[in-house]
Amino acid sequence: DALGPTVCVGEILVEIVATTVGNGFLEAQPLVGPFASGAPAIFISQCGRLGGQAAMVGAVGVDDFGRVNTDRLKRDGVDISAISIDPDYPTGSAFVRYRKDGSRDFVYNIATSAAARFGWSGMVADLIDRTGHLHVMGSALSVPSARAVIDKAVDIVKARGGTLSVDPNLRKELKLDEDTERRFAKLVAAADLLLPSGEELERAAGVEGEAEAIQRLFEMGVKEIVLKRGAVGATYFAHQGDRIDAPAFAVQEVDPTGAGDCFGGAYLTCRRLGMSPQQALTYASAAGARNVTVLGPMEGAGTRGELDAFIASTERRP
Ligand code: ATP
Ligand code: MG
């Protein structure tokens, strides 16, 4: 971490979860929350909990939902100096209810909330000038405020010798406009570490087939790829043809939200702390698995001690 903290840019939200399974929110029902959330916030929370230097760029409103997030990130050891407080808009929120088949209904307030209203500021510039690693979610490219910050930050961080990780976080079917697609491809090509999940691998590579996609991404300039496969586990790929498969830990899934972000935050932090890909994969798999055993998007993010205890006491899936 000598070069400076890991920084994540993007949406900060609270999540409020229906306690029963069923369809949507058309009638009054029991809910639990607010839980601190937002994919970039989950990622950086896991970085901080593992003892990595970490900082977040984003915005919240002047309300308790904002405090839930800033208090939480501060407690996790995350530098919140570049999280702005929007005087006019409320903190972003997502209401979620799981259906019987595992799919979800959402009611979002993101685009018209503080979550989507931040930009380049003095505080952001100060942070980016001392950033060692930048983590970007592909989904942030469709939010204009996040995009403006990311565009500048990538150039500055790379120019000072820092590194970049990218979680494509884009459904395969999602079509971007030409300009956003070009930005996305540029970001992928600049990634030292790519963290796709399932079909996002092929989406990011622009070709079909796992092996073909991996090869294409290395040709584009990606240095290291870790493919997330949910309850099946994860696989590390390196340029030289190295490959490590990490079976998932056997856990009872309570809330799948946040697994990928905890996994990514843990993997990146462990690598930045000097661990081997194998060791980082073990911590990452533990971080993802542990998080799905707890209700709330980042409530199960573990400290180093918690993850060591989890690894020692949990079987791998066969
Ligand atoms: P998200 O669903 O949060 O968007 P993602 O799709 O990016 O996440 P996943 O592949 O779902 O990422 O999860 C990341 C990692 O977490 C997996 O590779 C695995 O190691 C671990 N993991 C996820 N779900 C489970 C599970 N049910 N049991 C055990 N480990 C899991
Ligand atoms: Mg998943």
Side-chain angles (χ1 to χ4, degrees), residues 2-193:
L3 204 60
T6 295
V7 171
C8 201
V9 179
E11 71 277 12
I12 300 171
L13 313 173
V14 290
E15 189 164 311
I16 294 158
V17 189
T19 59
T20 60
V21 169
N23 293 320
F25 294 99
L26 289 171
E27 68 285 332
Q29 57 185 287
L31 305 164
V32 61
F35 293 113
S37 190
I42 302 170
F43 182 99
I44 210 68
S45 158
Q46 180 64 81
C47 294
R49 290 210 147 198
L50 260 177
Q53 283 185 65
M56 174 90 200
V57 176
V60 296
V62 190
D63 51 39
D64 286 351
F65 287 178
R67 281 283 302 281
V68 164
N69 278 289
T70 50
D71 287 357
R72 166 59 196 256
L73 291 177
K74 212 164 144 186
R75 204 165 357 108
D76 291 341
V78 177
D79 173 349
I80 60 168
S81 64
I83 295 178
S84 61
I85 314 279
D86 192 300
D88 301 318
Y89 285 73
T91 301
S93 63
F95 287 73
V96 57
R97 189 180 191 197
Y98 282 87
R99 299 196 201 100
K100 264 203 215 99
D101 65 3
S103 64
R104 296 173 281 188
D105 284 307
F106 286 102
V107 176
Y108 287 121
N109 174 29
I110 300 177
T112 52
S113 77
R117 292 174 51 86
F118 61 91
W120 196 258
S121 68
M123 297 303 273
V124 173
D126 284 349
L127 174 62
I128 298 301
D129 277 338
R130 53 183 177 84
T131 294
H133 181 94
L134 188 69
H135 178 72
V136 175
M137 309 264 169
S139 47
L141 291 181
S142 39
V143 182
S145 54
R147 186 160 73 196
V149 173
I150 290 165
D151 273 355
K152 269 191 164 171
V154 169
D155 290 343
I156 294 170
V157 173
K158 281 262 169 178
R160 65 189 297 271
T163 46
L164 175 71
S165 53
V166 176
D167 182 338
N169 211 6
L170 286 179
R171 280 173 295 111
K172 201 177 183 187
E173 317 78 57
L174 191 71
K175 289 269 171 286
L176 300 174
D177 62 70
E178 220 171 280
D179 179 51
T180 311
E181 194 68 56
R182 208 169 24 242
R183 285 165 191 270
F184 178 63
K186 193 175 153 219
L187 202 59
V188 167
D192 296 278
L193 169 65

Side-chain angles (χ1 to χ4, degrees), residues 206-219:
V207 297
E208 298 286 323
E210 185 176 303
E212 290 76 5
I214 295 287
Q215 192 189 339
R216 177 81 194 96
L217 287 164
F218 285 135
E219 284 165 10

